Amino acid sequence: MIEPLRTSFEVDRPAEHVFRVWTANFSQWWPKSHTVTGDRDVEVVLEPRLGGRIYEQTPTGTTHEWGEITLWEPPHRLGYRWHLRRDRADATDVEITFHDHDGRTRVDIEHRGWERLGAAGPDWRDANKAGWSGLLPHVIQAVRQSTT
């Protein structure tokens, strides 16, 4: 078994707010440099329901599938199969838990399933560790700045 990636952060906002920014405002905080196309005008979509898709859509209508929602428990838990830039059969699993404590929220992220990638699993885990490190400042900033 390849050890799951685990990371956490805290913000001074209630869990409901943090969950909403993560999901409903996904395209607003997700960096365009972390998309398949890198297009500045790409729309990144997280469909807010069990079985919903995560994908990018270019201005010309081209769609690139990234994942599928496997756990939808607003505002406390979100899970999805993740295959950005990979075949769907190679999807890994992400589970995010939003813990509300007196208006502050701790967000715990566990990213697992690297074994599905065979010998490439450890390298993809390392690449995703760097990816999460680069991604989380964007969501934290969006949570702090968002009023919706």
Side-chain angles (χ1 to χ4, degrees):
M1 180 176 142
I2 302 170
E3 184 70 22
L5 284 174
R6 292 183 182 93
T7 190
S8 299
F9 65 90
E10 289 193 19
V11 287
D12 284 326
R13 299 289 189 276
E16 183 176 330
H17 176 84
V18 180
F19 188 93
R20 185 173 49 251
V21 168
W22 191 292
T23 58
N25 297 2
F26 199 67
S27 194
Q28 294 172 12
W29 63 263
W30 188 273
K32 304 306 182 197
S33 61
H34 284 64
T35 63
V36 173
T37 62
D39 188 317
R40 288 184 20 212
D41 296 323
V42 71
E43 181 181 7
V44 181
V45 178
L46 185 150
E47 295 176 336
R49 60 181 170 77
L50 189 62
R53 298 176 304 149
I54 303 171
Y55 62 95
E56 74 180 77
Q57 185 163 347
T58 69
T60 62
T62 302
T63 300
H64 297 278
E65 299 280 335
W66 294 5
E68 179 182 346
I69 305 298
T70 57
L71 180 64
W72 183 258
E73 297 176 6
H76 302 290
R77 292 177 62 207
L78 170 66
Y80 46 87
R81 298 286 311 247
W82 187 247
H83 55 87
L84 175 61
R85 296 188 182 107
R86 300 285 307 184
D87 187 89
R88 180 182 295 259
D90 294 334
T92 53
D93 299 302
V94 176
E95 185 172 334
I96 307 165
T97 308
F98 302 81
H99 304 276
D100 202 337
H101 300 284
D102 297 323
R104 278 187 67 77
T105 301
R106 186 183 81 238
V107 178
D108 293 326
I109 302 165
E110 183 173 296
H111 193 165
R112 59 187 177 270
W114 308 108
E115 301 79 17
R116 291 186 198 110
L117 304 176
D123 289 339
W124 273 93
R125 182 190 181 277
D126 290 346
N128 275 266
K129 183 175 184 179
W132 280 110
S133 294
L135 182 68
L136 292 181
H138 293 278
V139 72
I140 291 168
Q141 180 179 7
V143 165
R144 289 179 176 154
Q145 293 178 346
S146 176
T147 58
T148 60

